[in-house]
Amino acid sequence: FDNNLLDQKKLYEVTVKYNLTGQTIANGKYLLSGEAQTSTSGKSQIWTAYRSDPKTGLPIGKPVTIKLTDNSQAIRRESRNYKRIKSGLFRGEFVEKIEFLSDIEVVGAKEEEEDGGSSANMLEGKSVLVLEKGLMDLQEYMYQRDRVGLSSRAMR
């Protein structure tokens, strides 16, 4: 955040309201929020984030989902799959892919971890898939349906 444009009280209020971590991705383009969840495979971290206003550094717009991983080949493949889905029969049925970034830079909030590293360094250099934030993930949806599979009608 540009402290010249915001007073400390406003900065604190925004940080609390959006549960910001103080870490940014892609040279400040995205502001990480809350705590990361681990993907079902255990190979990715899934964050909620907000786009950052280029002038003020404040969060703007709706939240997005950020998927971070060391496995750039797998996330690149996932990115291509989102592109195929968007142009195929299922257009509009899935969340939109916003962008794919490789070898990202993470800035800010370098809290010391138990192993002596820092939380920002643990994210540095990973590949990122930025997605529109859906209402819930598939696992949560299936739980709400008592783990009953989806018929073709329920998938629409």
Side-chain angles (χ1 to χ4, degrees):
F1 298 114
D2 186 342
N3 290 333
N4 296 327
L5 297 176
L6 296 172
D7 65 349
Q8 292 300 316
K9 183 178 179 186
K10 175 71 172 174
L11 183 59
Y12 175 77
E13 289 171 358
V14 168
T15 300
V16 170
K17 178 179 178 181
Y18 292 94
N19 196 20
L20 299 177
T21 66
Q23 294 175 306
T24 68
I25 289 183
N27 294 319
K29 187 173 184 177
Y30 298 101
L31 308 170
L32 294 182
S33 173
E35 293 185 24
Q37 296 178 354
T38 303
S39 66
T40 53
S41 71
K43 296 179 181 177
S44 300
Q45 294 177 350
I46 301 171
W47 290 84
T48 295
Y50 292 88
R51 288 182 180 94
S52 172
D53 182 300
K55 292 182 182 176
T56 65
L58 292 173
I60 54 173
K62 295 179 181 179
V64 296
T65 296
I66 302 263
K67 187 171 183 181
L68 291 154
T69 185
D70 288 324
N71 190 341
S72 67
Q73 185 177 16
I75 200 91
R76 200 177 297 274
R77 185 172 49 250
E78 187 173 340
S79 177
R80 286 193 305 265
N81 288 341
Y82 273 102
K83 185 176 179 179
R84 279 189 213 121
I85 288 169
K86 183 179 177 186
S87 63
L89 294 172
F90 301 107
R91 190 173 317 147
E93 299 296 322
F94 294 92
V95 296
E96 293 287 326
K97 178 187 86 172
I98 297 168
E99 67 180 315
F100 169 76
L101 304 165
S102 62
D103 197 27
I104 60 142
E105 179 182 340
V106 178
V107 177
K110 295 193 178 208
E111 296 177 14
E112 291 298 316
E113 299 291 329
E114 290 177 17
D115 65 0
S118 73
S119 56
N121 290 340
M122 290 175 15
L123 303 178
E124 199 78 39
K126 295 187 184 236
S127 293
V128 177
L129 190 56
V130 182
L131 304 166
E132 170 186 34
K133 187 156 185 70
L135 297 176
M136 66 184 79
D137 65 21
L138 182 58
Q139 201 169 28
E140 186 178 348
Y141 182 71
M142 293 299 292
Y143 181 77
Q144 286 185 357
R145 293 179 45 86
D146 294 324
R147 299 184 184 182
V148 174
L150 301 174
S151 67
S152 59
R153 170 167 263 171
M155 291 177 71
R156 290 194 174 101

